Amino acid sequence: MRIITGSAKGTRLETLEGEMTRPTSEKVKEAIFSMIQFDVEGKRILDLFGGSGQLGLEALSRGADIATFVDSSREAAELIKKGEVVAIPTETVYGLAADAYNPEACAKIFKAKGRPQDNPLIIHICDLDMLKNSVKEIPPLALTLAEHFWSGSLTMIFPKKDIVPDTTSGGLDTVAVRMPDNEDTLNLIKMCGVPLAAPSANLSGSPSPTTAQHVYADMNGRIPLIIDGGECKNGVESTVICFTNGGTGIKVLRPGVITAEMLSRFAKTETDKNVFAKPDENEKVISPGVKYKHYSPRADITIIETDSDEKLAEFLNSKNDGGTYGVIFGGEKGIEVPTISYGSTAQEQAHNLFAVLRKTDELGAKRVYVRCPEKTGVGTAVYNRLLRAAAFKTIIL
Ligand code: TXA
Ligand code: MG
């Protein structure tokens, strides 16, 4: 077995060779923590960009073989240029990336996710030239927002140019664009020379992945490569907006950590009604994603709205049948069913929500009651995802 380390930018640092099945020396551990490509049960996983190295360590502890790799970002770019799909880290959630201008490559994303064809993909750019190359009109307000929020978790919708194929835009004449806040992913986009179309890297309907392990759980056998960039900073997807009033107003279609309050400093900002409501059957929605059940683990999810710790405990204890779990803020007393805390601030809850929902599946939960977050600021993003995970089922105590 061979291990070769390199730097995030693809420079070879040193080569270690030898027979080994687990990290036996500090030097090897160091190598593992930098950038190596692992082979886990025949599936290749790329661990680079200063990522946590967790997948690699887990692979080693199970006695997996390690494959050889040096220049990981170049290999990822080559795969993408060949029309393949690669999972990439971003500051929000992991994405399933392909050349946004290549319809066959983007079709592979839909196939890997099991995503409905009419649900458009976000394209990820590394500079404003890529924006200009992809869209017909850029309102001055968009440039102001780009200046303030890019690189970052704001996705803006523009009329698309023909270079963006219908497969990418789900048949719409618009395209959603963002510049992710992850230096290595920006470098990867630069190496590819084209925007990367990337939806969240989960199976359609499942909670979005915030670690490479989550991606592996959903995409094992479906894509050739996962880039392990460690845990995502935000934990919820980007804020999606469109422009109203001839490009002078903002409408939030999906809330994120860039809040409506933050956007309203730049222009009149409204929130689309489907952010918190179930679209009517046959309603024509602006953002096709809102039609689908989303973010949901296998367990049945219900939101519990209450100000009272006592009422919450009383309710959960009345459901104590072995399959019931509570997802709580943390510190609530008197609860007899198993609980997982997803944090007491909206930021923490955004960061932890999807990982906690996935955890409930691992624990074999049948029913999960999640304490409702605040409905302001970043809390709106958490509440929006929870509503869809729970298919809008809410109990008020
Ligand atoms: O943070 C994020 O945005 C992540 C990372 C990977 O960048 N991506 C992400 O993509 O969440 P996805 O495909 O899971 O969600 C994109 C959402 C969907 O609800 C989709 O319907 C909506 O954005 N969307 C995309 N293009 C659109 C368009 N042209 N018009 C309206 N809605 C659009
Ligand atoms: Mg998604």
Side-chain angles (χ1 to χ4, degrees):
M1 181 189 63
R2 242 167 121 229
I3 304 175
I4 304 178
T5 69
S7 84
K9 306 288 176 280
T11 319
R12 185 180 298 227
L13 297 179
E14 67 180 316
T15 306
L16 297 169
E17 290 196 37
E19 289 296 318
M20 58 192 86
T21 52
R22 53 193 71 248
T24 47
S25 72
E26 281 312 306
K27 209 164 189 198
V28 176
K29 276 187 202 159
E30 237 179 73
I32 288 157
F33 275 114
S34 43
M35 187 189 335
I36 322 166
Q37 179 171 302
F38 297 92
D39 190 295
V40 186
E41 291 151 14
K43 303 291 171 304
R44 294 162 63 237
I45 294 173
L46 197 58
D47 181 11
L48 80 166
F49 294 164
S52 68
Q54 270 311 110
L55 271 176
L57 278 181
E58 282 174 19
L60 276 180
S61 67
R62 295 205 303 267
D65 284 342
I66 299 178
T68 302
F69 194 60
V70 184
D71 194 346
S72 36
S73 46
R74 187 169 305 153
E75 169 150 341
E78 274 163 15
L79 276 169
I80 288 169
K81 283 187 204 161
K82 272 195 269 172
E84 289 302 328
V85 176
V86 171
I88 56 164
T90 83
E91 83 284 16
T92 57
V93 300
Y94 276 75
L96 215 48
D99 176 349
Y101 296 157
N102 178 340
E104 285 82 30
C106 288
K108 289 183 188 168
I109 296 179
F110 284 87
K111 185 155 181 253
K113 269 185 77 89
R115 183 179 176 102
Q117 304 284 335
D118 69 345
N119 196 1
L121 307 176
I122 293 175
I123 73 170
H124 297 68
I125 59 171
C126 63
D127 56 38
L128 287 181
D129 286 340
M130 281 192 179
L131 175 68
K132 289 173 192 150
N133 197 45
S134 306
V135 312
K136 275 187 188 154
E137 289 153 38
I138 306 172
L141 173 59
L143 290 176
T144 307
L145 295 179
E147 204 173 298
H148 279 84
F149 296 110
W150 281 358
S151 307
S153 322
L154 180 69
T155 298
M156 301 190 251
I157 295 174
F158 302 91
K160 77 169 185 73
K161 281 188 180 161
D162 290 343
I163 192 168
V164 179
D166 286 346
T167 313
T168 308
S169 71
L172 297 177
D173 51 15
T174 55
V175 64
V177 186
R178 88 176 188 99
M179 192 185 287
D181 183 18
N182 180 310
E183 201 193 324
D184 298 306
T185 292
L186 289 173
N187 279 329
L188 177 65
I189 299 170
K190 201 170 185 177
M191 285 175 85
C192 293
V194 287
L196 299 184
S200 50
N202 50 290
L203 286 174
S204 203
S206 296
S208 297
T210 56
T211 65
Q213 288 91 329
H214 296 160
V215 181
Y216 184 66
D218 280 17
M219 289 298 146
N220 180 14
R222 291 170 181 260
I223 56 169
L225 204 67
I226 300 169
I227 296 171
D228 183 356
E231 215 177 318
C232 298
K233 191 173 66 185
N234 295 356
V236 288
E237 306 85 344
S238 60
T239 306
V240 178
I241 62 165
C242 65
F243 295 101
T244 56
N245 289 328
T248 60
I250 297 171
K251 187 183 254 190
V252 176
L253 304 178
R254 181 178 71 181
V257 301
I258 294 173
T259 61
E261 291 87 335
M262 289 157 81
L263 294 166
S264 67
R265 280 183 231 133
F266 299 90
K268 193 162 176 289
T269 302
E270 59 183 317
T271 297
D272 189 64
K273 78 172 182 58
N274 286 323
V275 164
F276 300 118
K278 194 154 64 179
D280 298 331
E281 211 136 312
N282 303 325
E283 180 181 340
K284 197 168 180 316
V285 293
I286 309 175
S287 188
V290 301
K291 287 190 300 192
Y292 302 106
K293 187 175 177 195
H294 235 123
Y295 316 122
S296 214
R298 280 189 294 277
D300 188 52
I301 308 284
T302 306
I303 301 171
I304 302 294
E305 260 191 78
T306 182
D307 288 337
S308 158
D309 287 10
E310 288 73 32
K311 281 186 186 166
L312 178 71
E314 199 183 315
F315 175 84
L316 287 174
N317 295 344
S318 74
K319 304 283 177 193
N320 195 352
D321 61 359
T324 297
Y325 281 75
V327 172
I328 59 173
F329 297 163
E332 291 97 327
K333 299 259 175 344
I335 301 175
E336 285 152 18
V337 305
T339 57
I340 310 175
S341 161
Y342 78 130
S344 54
T345 66
Q347 269 80 10
E348 283 169 2
Q349 292 163 353
H351 183 263
N352 297 329
L353 178 70
F354 290 135
V356 166
L357 291 180
R358 280 179 179 263
K359 186 84 193 159
T360 63
D361 269 350
E362 275 170 40
L363 294 168
K366 299 215 164 31
R367 278 162 302 285
V368 177
Y369 296 95
V370 185
R371 189 163 190 181
C372 191
E374 282 194 13
K375 297 177 189 171
T376 54
V378 175
T380 58
V382 183
Y383 183 49
N384 166 271
R385 307 311 190 271
L386 254 186
L387 279 172
R388 278 157 179 90
F392 292 87
K393 229 176 324 132
T394 304
I395 293 174
I396 301 172
L397 300 177

